[in-house]
Structures are given as structure tokens and as C-alpha cells.
Amino acid sequence: MLANTRGFLWSDVETRALLNIWGEQDVQMALDGNFRNSHVYRDVAGRLGEMGFDRTPEQCRIRVKSLKRQYYQAKEGTRRNGHCHKICKFYDEMERILSSRPQMETQDGVATGDEPLDGMEEEGDGTEPAQETLVERAGESSYTQPAVKVEYPAFPIPVTVNSGASVRQPGAQASLGSPSSSRPRRSRKCHASLPLDKLLERFLEHSVEAEENFHKQEEQRQQLEERRREAEHARELHMLQMLGQMFSGMVTPSPTPTPQACPQRHADQQPCGNRGAVPARPLVIERSFSVGGTTQRNMDSILPLVKSIIPPLMPRKHKGQDGRIGIVGGCQEYTGAPYFAAISALKVGADLSHVFCTKDAATVIKSYSPELIVHPVLDGPDAVEEVEKWLPRLHSVVVGPGLGRDDKLLKNAKDIIEKSKARGIPVVIDADGLWLVAQQPAVIHGYPKAILTPNFMEFRRLYEATHHEPLDSSDIQRSALQLSVAMGNLTVVLKGEEDIITNGNSVMVCSQEGSSRRCGGQGDLLSGSLGVLAHWAYSSTAEATKGTSPAMVAAFGACTLTRQCNRQAFHKHGRSMTTSDMLPEIGSAFRKLFES
């Protein structure tokens, strides 16, 4: 708080120079009134500047007011006990100036007659008393000053006209004294009687209110910006559709082939004897480009495929029909990751979520949510057999969240992956499960229903383990393709600024807007939701995915959903956002993306 008083401490030389200027007769005449007098202090500050003292009009006004307060208190002290100079250092100078002014009415034994509220004082409104108290405490005296209420009678002020002569404003006295004046006098907002802690409390309340208003305005601005972007995107789509319709109506004449050059026709082609013009195929406009012989498809063409694999909610369904997901992971050190993966699977739409963890982590994970089914078997002697009993009931398995790198747990996770492959269950591998794959790539190599979800560091480890050479990060999409091919065309989801999804044959880039916040646990939310969407995608018909890999469609849906949750949570919480703040956003983000 003392930082606010910077520049308000005055030396004795400056103070005496100020008193010499302020005590001049023309300055005192200009101050004897109720009109605003900021121009007087601007003139005083200017004259101080000419003397080499750089002070603002506000600093001059506060200093004069402080000196007058000390003077009146010293005068009261003289009347009572004869001690004055202990309170006011410049008592003699103030006595010389103020004794020549007409004595005003006093209140509570303290003389008034101070100049009225000026424009600068009114603009300070409520914060000036706290500043003055700090100045006096920091710069001049440790004397605890009592609360002083100052009231000013009405006086006209001389007004300087162009000729330089000071004249009284006509009718000013009548205007100020008349209760029926068209411009009534404003009541002074004086908080000098409030203690410092009350002033600080008010200041904090106003600060909180101002911050809340700022956040509300920022949220409204972001909503307007989002609507603007959506409208712009809709206009682009409309223009593309119009162009597509225009080109589809065009007819391209084909050259008439000679009988010698006529190729062997298929059964569904016209006879070669038909030499007329053949209508050209409609031109399809799609924003795509090639990446090493593969095609990268845009988000607008994939999002309808994700919507098509989502099962409808119907009353005749039974529990577990829309998904029973197993999470393999969770040890003493890491209990949050399996919880985030399991609870996000439930919130996306799975009916049941199982967590297979170590014994010492089970109680902690169970305490996070009663919706989870927790099995404390992962570090037991018969861990694989215990998990294998549940595999016929599970639709997909997520291996890795919170698994840790203990050799025993990694061996059990490897055997569980082998058992899942034997049953044809989709397997999502994340976190420490990817560490296992980097050490033993053969554990998942070539399994078509496997999905790897590395971040950049995990991706680098996998790439160097399979290619035995450093990663070339200059062309990250090509490197992702090479990793997928090296792993037997597994689906790889490389998380980053844009999520790159590839199966070695095609590439999808999820550029859904998220946020710059990268807190721990977001990858677990992605892997849990991906486990549900993978089950839905592999349970759908081939017509639903239109020939696209079900794992690619599921991965694109999970990446888009996670990014949307991240964006919504960041808008509400900003830098303080955590993964726990993203969980409540799953429902609204899902509806916005896939059900609107």
C-alpha cells in the first residue's frame, strides 16, 4: 500500500516554496469559494516547476490539505496544553497565512474555512483519505490523528476574464445560497471518519466487483467472437456448396477415341461404338492435400462420421449395452490418472467403468467416485487371471493411465494386452503403457484394433525405438506415418498443438480450438473417451463410417471432444483450470459437437 504514496514525500525546501506560493494573496482569493479550483493548483504546480520542483497539481493540493490539518490540530493542542510544534513543523508559516484569512465557523473545536471540494478531490472519491493517512504516517509523524469532519460554507470565487482582471461572478452568491437553484450543491463524500481497515475493506470489495465485471465482459466478448467465427465458417461452407453445384452442372466433352485406341471396356461402360460426348463426373470440392502419397481430410468431412457411430438413447436398452470399459492402471503414486480415464468414459456415454489397479491404490480411487467399479488385483499373484475373468464382459480396454514402471506391473499389463488381443477387444494404450510398447514393440505390433495416444516425448521414444535413429521433427506428420507403418499400421494419435491421427494409409488433423493450458490429466480424459468411442465405432456398420477406419473415426471424435472441453473450462477458469474443471464440461461439449 505504501507504493501508492510514491512522489508524495516533500522536503522542507519544497514545502516552504509551496507555502510561499500558496500564501500569496491572489491564490488565497481564488481559493475562497465553493467552485472547483483545480486550475489554482495547476498554476501552483507550474510555478513550482519553474523553481525546479517537479510536482503535480494533485500532489500540491494533498500537501496543502495535510499541512492545514496539522495546523488546526496543533492550534487545538495549543489551546488545551500549549504544545503545537510537536504536531505541525510549519506552524509559524501556516499561522502567518491563515491568520490573515477571515475566521470561519468551527466545529468540535477545530477551525474550518478550508477551500471547497475541487474537481480533483471529487474524482478521488473515497480513496484519498487512505492515501493521506499513509503519507502522514510514512513521511512526517507517528502521531495518531483523530477523525476530523470538515464542512465548508459557501463563498463566491473570483473568475479571471480575458483582460486579466478578477471579477466576481454575477449572481454567484445568490445561486449558491438559494435552495431553489437549478444546480444544487453536491454533498461532500467525506470518509475521513472511517478507520483504515474499513477503507481497505471497501477498497477490496470494489476491486472484487470490478474483477467480476471484467470477467463477465470478457466472457461476453468471447461468446460474440465464437458466434462470429461460426457465422464465418457457415458462410464458407455455403460458398463451397454453391461452387460444387456450379461445377457439377458443367459438361466436359471427351475426345472421340479411334477404334485402334479403344481400350477394353468393362461391363458397366457404354459400348465403344458410342462416340458421343460423355458427361463428366461431378467435381467434388474438398479441402484436402497430400502427405507423402496419403490424403489428409478436413474436419467437416469426419465430424458427420463421428455422429453416425454414436448409439441413440432408447428406453429398451439394458445396462451395459452402450459400453463396458476397463482401465488397467493405478498404483500407489498415481491414482488420479485411472480415475480421470474411467469417469470420462462414463460421462461420454459408457454404462459401466472398471478400474484394475493395485491394492494400495484401490481405496483412494474408490473414494473419488462411487460410480467406478474398482478391482485391487493388478499387483496380486494371479493378476492376469483375475482380469481375464472380466474380459468377456468388456467392450474395450485402456492400458496405461497411472500404471507406473514397476517390472511386475508392466509384465501383468503385457499379459493383459495379449489376452485382450486374443479376444479381439479394442485396446487403447496411453502413458506408461506406451513405455512398455517402446521397450517391447512386439506386444502390440500389427494388432488392427490397437490405438496409441502418445504426446511428443512419448512419440519420440516410440519412433527411436522402432527406427533406431533420431526423430526428424521438421516433418512431424511424415514421422507419424512412418511410426504407424513400423508398428504394423496401428492407429497413432500424436497429441500436440494439432492432434495428428494416422494409420499409415491416411492422415487426419484435428484442429478443433482448445486452449494454451497444459495441465496433467487431459491425456487420461482423452484415452477414457477414446475407449468408449472405439467400442461404438467397431460396433457400427461399414456404411456408418463410409469406408473410413473405425479407429480413426473414434480417435478424431475423442480429440475433438477433449479440445472442446478444454476450451470451455479455460473460458471459465483461465490459468487456474485443471482437468477436474474439464469433467463437468463433457456433457455440454458432447451435445454441441455431436448432437446439435
Side-chain angles (χ1 to χ4, degrees):
M1 293 298 295
L2 286 178
N4 294 333
T5 66
R6 182 180 179 184
F8 280 70
L9 300 181
W10 291 66
S11 65
D12 293 348
V13 178
E14 287 180 294
T15 303
R16 288 192 171 89
L18 173 65
L19 291 176
N20 289 336
I21 298 173
W22 179 72
E24 294 180 2
Q25 184 177 3
D26 57 341
V27 175
Q28 292 298 313
M29 290 179 64
L31 292 175
D32 284 339
N34 281 323
F35 292 93
R36 295 190 177 188
N37 44 38
S38 58
H39 64 284
V40 178
Y41 286 104
R42 283 196 294 269
D43 181 63
V44 172
R47 293 171 64 178
L48 278 175
E50 294 174 358
M51 299 173 64
F53 303 117
D54 186 15
R55 292 293 179 175
T56 65
E58 177 69 6
Q59 291 174 333
C60 295
R61 186 188 66 80
I62 292 178
R63 182 57 173 160
V64 169
K65 187 173 181 180
S66 176
L67 290 171
K68 285 192 294 184
R69 179 176 296 174
Q70 295 172 19
Y71 167 74
Y72 287 129
Q73 291 176 351
K75 197 168 184 179
E76 176 66 14
T78 301
R79 186 180 66 82
R80 292 180 179 177
N81 51 30
H83 299 287
C84 60
H85 291 280
K86 292 182 180 181
I87 301 176
C88 183
K89 185 177 182 179
F90 301 96
Y91 183 87
D92 296 333
E93 289 85 346
M94 297 296 295
E95 176 70 18
R96 175 180 55 82
I97 297 172
L98 296 180
S99 61
S100 61
R101 299 177 63 177
Q103 294 299 320
M104 307 302 173
E105 181 183 355
T106 61
Q107 178 179 351
D108 297 334
V110 180
T112 62
D114 198 2
E115 65 270 12
L117 289 173
D118 55 30
M120 292 178 292
E121 185 175 353
E122 291 177 356
E123 292 170 0
D125 200 15
T127 61
E128 179 185 308
Q131 287 184 348
E132 292 178 6
T133 303
L134 290 171
V135 171
E136 293 170 1
R137 290 180 180 177
E140 300 218 357
S141 173
S142 60
Y143 178 80
T144 304
Q145 299 181 5
V148 179
K149 295 184 179 179
V150 183
E151 296 183 359
Y152 301 99
F155 279 93
I157 184 171
V159 179
T160 303
V161 296
N162 294 334
S163 62
S166 296
V167 297
R168 298 284 183 177
Q169 280 191 346
Q173 182 70 27
S175 174
L176 290 172
S178 175
S180 60
S181 174
S182 60
R183 185 179 178 183
R185 179 185 176 186
R186 296 172 59 185
S187 60
R188 183 181 186 185
K189 300 177 182 178
C190 182
H191 301 290
S193 59
L194 294 177
L196 180 59
D197 56 346
K198 293 295 184 181
L199 291 173
L200 291 176
E201 183 179 355
R202 288 193 179 185
F203 174 75
L204 292 175
E205 291 176 356
H206 292 323
S207 300
V208 172
E209 183 179 356
E211 185 176 358
E212 291 177 354
N213 292 335
F214 170 77
H215 286 304
K216 289 180 182 178
Q217 293 176 0
E218 183 67 14
E219 184 175 358
Q220 293 175 358
R221 185 191 66 79
Q222 292 173 351
Q223 291 175 355
L224 292 174
E225 181 66 17
E226 181 178 354
R227 287 197 290 268
R228 184 193 65 78
R229 284 195 297 266
E230 291 177 353
E232 183 178 355
H233 183 61
R235 286 195 298 271
E236 290 180 357
L237 291 179
H238 181 65
M239 292 297 298
L240 289 174
Q241 292 174 357
M242 292 179 61
L243 289 173
Q245 294 174 0
M246 290 172 58
F247 283 108
S248 64
M250 294 182 178
V251 176
T252 304
S254 60
T256 302
T258 60
Q260 292 81 5
C262 182
Q264 182 67 30
R265 63 182 179 87
H266 295 283
D268 57 345
Q269 291 179 321
Q270 294 182 354
C272 294
N274 186 0
R275 308 300 187 200
V278 179
R281 293 182 179 180
L283 178 62
V284 178
I285 297 179
E286 182 178 10
R287 291 184 292 179
S288 62
F289 55 90
S290 296
V291 179
T294 63
T295 301
Q296 177 171 329
R297 303 175 64 179
N298 69 325
M299 293 180 57
D300 298 330
S301 62
I302 306 301
L303 206 57
L305 301 182
V306 180
K307 296 180 180 180
S308 66
I309 67 171
I310 298 174
L313 297 174
M314 294 182 292
R316 63 175 179 269
K317 285 186 175 181
H318 55 79
K319 180 178 65 176
Q321 190 171 349
D322 279 342
R324 297 184 292 272
I325 311 302
I327 310 297
V328 180
C331 59
Q332 183 177 7
E333 294 84 359
Y334 306 112
T335 58
Y339 162 73
F340 285 133
I343 200 67
S344 62
L346 288 177
K347 287 182 173 292
V348 168
D351 292 335
L352 297 172
S353 190
H354 297 257
V355 178
F356 300 93
C357 62
T358 62
K359 185 177 181 180
D360 48 8
T363 304
V364 180
I365 297 173
K366 186 66 177 178
S367 67
Y368 291 153
S369 173
E371 288 89 358
L372 305 182
I373 305 173
V374 182
H375 307 268
V377 299
L378 196 56
D379 56 347
D382 302 324
V384 179
E385 290 75 10
E386 290 294 331
V387 177
E388 187 179 10
K389 292 190 300 184
W390 288 91
L391 288 181
R393 307 183 189 182
L394 300 180
H395 294 121
S396 65
V397 176
V398 181
V399 180
L403 179 63
R405 297 180 183 179
D406 181 78
D407 292 338
K408 182 178 181 181
L409 297 182
L410 291 175
K411 182 180 182 302
N412 291 338
K414 174 187 174 182
D415 294 339
I416 293 171
I417 292 175
E418 295 289 352
K419 300 293 183 180
S420 301
K421 288 166 54 180
R423 291 187 171 275
I425 300 175
V427 179
V428 179
I429 302 182
D430 185 35
D432 290 324
L434 296 172
W435 170 269
L436 170 64
V437 174
Q439 307 304 313
Q440 305 179 51
V443 70
I444 201 66
H445 184 278
Y447 184 53
K449 292 186 178 181
I451 306 174
L452 309 182
T453 60
N455 56 29
F456 183 78
M457 296 304 298
E458 295 164 340
F459 176 79
R460 180 191 293 274
R461 189 183 302 119
L462 288 170
Y463 184 90
E464 294 176 354
T466 54
H467 290 79
H468 305 289
E469 62 181 13
L471 171 67
D472 181 13
S473 58
S474 61
D475 192 352
I476 198 67
Q477 292 188 9
R478 186 179 298 276
S479 300
L481 281 166
Q482 293 172 351
L483 175 62
S484 176
V485 172
M487 293 296 297
N489 290 91
L490 300 184
T491 300
V492 176
V493 182
L494 175 55
K495 300 173 288 189
E497 183 179 0
E498 291 182 334
D499 296 335
I500 301 173
I501 308 168
T502 179
N503 61 357
N505 299 318
S506 60
V507 175
M508 296 179 187
V509 176
C510 179
S511 56
Q512 177 76 16
E513 183 180 358
S515 76
S516 300
R517 183 78 168 107
R518 295 290 182 270
C519 56
Q522 298 183 51
D524 304 311
L525 191 150
L526 170 66
S527 61
S529 58
L530 179 53
V532 182
L533 290 168
H535 161 56
W536 291 348
Y538 280 108
S539 301
S540 301
T541 61
E543 290 78 9
T545 58
K546 297 182 179 179
T548 305
S549 165
M552 297 267 290
V553 175
F556 184 87
C559 291
T560 306
L561 178 62
T562 304
R563 286 173 167 269
Q564 181 65 26
C565 293
N566 182 281
R567 178 187 180 189
Q568 294 180 190
F570 185 78
H571 283 176
K572 292 183 178 180
H573 302 279
R575 187 180 290 271
S576 66
M577 184 203 78
T578 61
T579 304
S580 298
D581 300 320
M582 294 173 58
L583 293 177
E585 305 297 329
I586 292 179
S588 60
F590 191 94
R591 288 192 299 272
K592 182 175 183 179
L593 292 172
F594 309 134
E595 294 180 345
S596 60

